[in-house]
Amino acid sequence: MADAEEPEKKRRRIEDLTKKMAVDGGHRDGACDWDGRWNHVRKFLERPGPFTHPDFEPSTESLQFLLETCKILVIGAGGLGCELLKNLALSGFRLIHVVDMDTIDVSNLNRQFLFRPKDVGRPKAEVAADFINNRIPGCKVVPHFKKIQDFDESFYRQFHIIVCGLDSIIARRWMNGMLISLLSYEDGVLDPSSIIPLIDGGTEGFKGNARVILPGMTACIDCTLELYPPQINFPMCTIASMPRLPEHCIEYARILQWPKEKPFGETSLDGDNPEHIQWVFDRAQERAAEFNITGVTYRLTQGVVKRIIPAVASTNAVIAAACATEVFKIATSAYIPLNNYLVFNDVDGLYTYSFEAERKDNCSACSQVPQDLQFPPSAKLQEVLEYLTDNASLQMKSPAITTTLEGKNKTLYLQSVKSIEERTRPNLCKTLKELGLSDGQELAVADVTTPQTVLFKLNFTA
């Protein structure tokens, strides 16, 4: 009889505990902190240990800071973002904002566990925030269904730490540039209070990395740009006039023909729509036949249009765990943070390695030093443009180049605005001398990879 009662008592105890925890929704205020809820966190913060920071003093204040004050911004609510939100919320961080411009696709459901089939088509940020808020009592996740570029400096200044779970190097670099722009200096000395730590995680298949960036102090994203595989971008002049590769033909159909012909009305090109991909594939084949180019396939068209990056759930989990751990270390000052780059690889077995990435003295983002451009006067502007996009240390996507001539601001080339691109396109075939540029001339270059304009100094070579 006693043996029969044990399972029933256990079932009731679990039910009571579940109700008390409000696991499936209900209470969202601080009053739901039941006894022992944060014991797992207190073990790290309220007692000394062999791995704690040398200056760490155990106290109850650190936990209260996590629960009541510390504001975290998570950028991206996809594979990494879902894991990050879950980890941070369960670690005691309650004031979390999440930014993501994407909506949920059915292909996300195999690994982005905060989403369900009923959520397909809805904004990722909103669904993820609702799930965490309903699942974890007391947590207040604020969603933003926007681009990171839609926010100004005042928005980013409010956060203690920013965590990136992005699949775009361009977005990483923009965020990196924003945090660098928030730094303040007094007599050339960096004000530590203006530093907002950036924790960045990235995955591709079975490989991943996590890094800790203290803007102005440690290596930034652009300092180690060579570590990222260059994103393939083709100069507009080549796409429009001199295609040589099948990718040029696909990009011609995607960038130039789609907005001009509008085959599906005002609808934007959707890489997940088979009809859209088929239309681009057909136009690309026509373009390839015109220039005797082979190799345009439906699969290649998909890859070029969608910029496909493979994703594995277990890799996301490992890297998100590493990033969340670094957030906890920095927020509590209880442990020494990663210094400053972690590599993870489980393609064959399991391999991890950490090293200190070094700052570049001439980094285009954080060095505050004008960059040198060395070209002969006979070089064409197209060559300068290709250098800005192909150079491993710059890897710009669509640079806009302006300068000052005879006291007036002049746009040499700008790709993002159609009318200005058409007007300035002839400049690409002109030499620097023909454009009126001189040795020592300053060129201001704007690009989607940074919120700031990058200054270059033109040095003529023989």
Side-chain angles (χ1 to χ4, degrees):
M1 186 71 177
D3 291 341
E5 288 180 353
E6 285 303 317
E8 180 63 19
K9 287 182 179 179
K10 185 176 181 181
R11 184 186 65 79
R12 288 177 181 173
R13 189 165 65 250
I14 292 174
E15 283 183 357
D16 291 342
L17 181 61
T18 300
K19 290 177 182 178
K20 190 177 182 181
M21 292 173 65
V23 167
D24 293 317
H27 307 297
R28 296 191 190 181
D29 53 29
C32 58
D33 281 348
W34 55 90
D35 290 341
R37 179 180 181 185
W38 300 112
N39 281 352
H40 63 296
V41 180
R42 286 194 170 95
K43 290 177 181 178
F44 292 100
L45 302 179
E46 297 181 9
R47 65 182 185 181
F51 302 109
T52 55
H53 193 287
D55 299 327
F56 172 69
E57 294 183 5
S59 71
T60 59
E61 296 176 359
S62 294
L63 178 58
Q64 292 309 307
F65 174 72
L66 296 190
L67 296 175
E68 300 171 5
T69 307
C70 189
K71 292 185 73 173
I72 306 294
L73 174 62
V74 176
I75 301 177
L80 271 175
C82 286
E83 294 277 0
L84 283 167
L85 288 169
K86 175 260 294 180
N87 291 344
L88 293 171
L90 291 174
S91 298
F93 296 94
R94 284 176 162 169
L95 305 179
I96 304 173
H97 288 237
V98 57
V99 177
D100 197 300
M101 59 175 282
D102 204 3
T103 54
I104 298 166
D105 184 78
V106 68
S107 63
N108 303 145
L109 301 181
N110 72 324
R111 63 193 182 281
Q112 298 173 22
F113 52 83
L114 300 183
F115 311 139
R116 300 292 180 267
K118 63 181 176 61
D119 300 320
V120 171
R122 292 185 59 200
K124 286 185 177 182
E126 295 178 5
V127 175
D130 287 345
F131 193 105
I132 295 293
N133 290 338
N134 288 325
R135 184 81 175 183
I136 302 177
C139 200
K140 299 179 178 67
V141 181
V142 180
H144 302 276
F145 178 41
K146 293 183 178 182
K147 298 179 181 179
I148 55 175
Q149 293 88 349
D150 292 339
F151 299 98
D152 59 14
E153 294 183 356
S154 62
F155 173 78
Y156 292 108
R157 284 187 193 277
Q158 66 179 303
F159 299 103
H160 293 92
I161 302 172
I162 295 178
V163 200
C164 286
L166 294 162
D167 59 3
S168 165
I169 297 174
I170 293 171
R172 280 190 181 90
R173 294 178 65 188
W174 191 94
M175 195 66 245
N176 178 70
M178 170 56 73
L179 295 186
I180 290 172
S181 72
L182 298 181
L183 299 176
S184 61
Y185 293 81
E186 188 171 341
D187 297 328
V189 180
L190 176 63
D191 179 5
S193 65
S194 66
I195 297 174
I196 300 177
L198 174 65
I199 314 297
D200 178 58
T203 66
E204 184 170 333
F206 292 99
K207 301 175 183 178
N209 68 273
R211 62 187 304 183
V212 175
I213 297 171
L214 303 178
M217 293 182 63
T218 63
C220 75
I221 296 288
D222 282 46
C223 285
T224 56
L225 207 53
E226 295 91 341
L227 296 176
Y228 296 100
Q231 291 189 304
I232 300 173
N233 300 300
F234 304 106
M236 184 62 70
C237 190
T238 301
I239 294 171
S241 307
M242 301 172 289
R244 299 184 300 274
L245 302 172
E247 290 86 352
H248 293 162
C249 302
I250 297 169
E251 289 287 71
Y252 180 84
R254 182 181 73 88
I255 297 174
L256 297 177
Q257 288 185 283
W258 180 278
K260 182 178 180 181
E261 298 184 20
K262 298 180 179 178
F264 296 89
E266 297 297 327
T267 305
S268 299
L269 177 59
D270 182 359
D272 294 315
N273 188 320
E275 293 181 355
H276 290 194
I277 295 295
Q278 186 65 46
W279 186 92
V280 174
F281 173 54
D282 293 339
R283 299 293 84 73
Q285 281 191 315
E286 294 171 3
R287 179 76 169 171
E290 181 183 349
F291 288 88
N292 297 316
I293 297 172
T294 60
V296 175
T297 64
Y298 185 87
R299 185 172 182 177
L300 179 64
T301 303
Q302 276 186 311
V304 172
V305 171
K306 295 181 67 176
R307 303 288 200 268
I308 294 173
I309 299 175
V312 176
S314 57
T315 312
N316 287 335
V318 171
I319 297 303
C323 291
T325 301
E326 296 307 317
V327 174
F328 183 84
K329 290 179 185 178
I330 293 175
T332 61
S333 299
Y335 298 87
I336 299 174
L338 172 71
N339 184 31
N340 50 28
Y341 203 111
L342 169 73
V343 176
F344 172 81
N345 187 332
D346 63 346
V347 174
D348 296 308
L350 182 63
Y351 173 78
T352 60
Y353 174 70
S354 63
F355 65 95
E356 181 181 0
E358 296 183 359
R359 289 188 70 185
K360 285 180 64 175
D361 293 334
N362 63 339
C363 174
S364 60
C366 69
S367 69
Q368 298 182 312
V369 175
Q371 306 296 298
D372 285 332
L373 281 177
Q374 296 189 350
F375 285 93
S378 59
K380 295 181 179 179
L381 187 64
Q382 175 70 44
E383 296 176 48
V384 177
L385 197 72
E386 290 176 354
Y387 174 82
L388 295 173
T389 56
D390 297 343
N391 183 275
S393 297
L394 298 174
Q395 296 187 36
M396 294 186 174
K397 185 180 181 184
S398 53
I401 307 174
T402 61
T403 190
T404 302
L405 290 174
E406 298 178 354
K408 295 181 180 179
N409 191 54
K410 181 179 180 180
T411 300
L412 299 178
Y413 184 70
L414 191 148
Q415 183 176 324
S416 58
V417 181
K418 184 179 179 181
S419 60
I420 300 178
E421 195 283 324
E422 292 174 349
R423 178 168 56 83
T424 58
R425 190 185 303 171
N427 289 341
L428 295 175
C429 299
K430 294 181 181 180
T431 66
L432 302 181
K433 187 176 181 180
E434 290 171 342
L435 290 169
L437 302 179
S438 58
D439 186 42
Q441 184 106 28
E442 280 198 349
L443 302 179
V445 180
D447 191 63
V448 293
T449 58
T450 175
Q452 304 179 88
T453 299
V454 182
L455 288 179
F456 289 87
K457 187 176 182 181
L458 184 60
N459 293 324
F460 280 162
T461 58

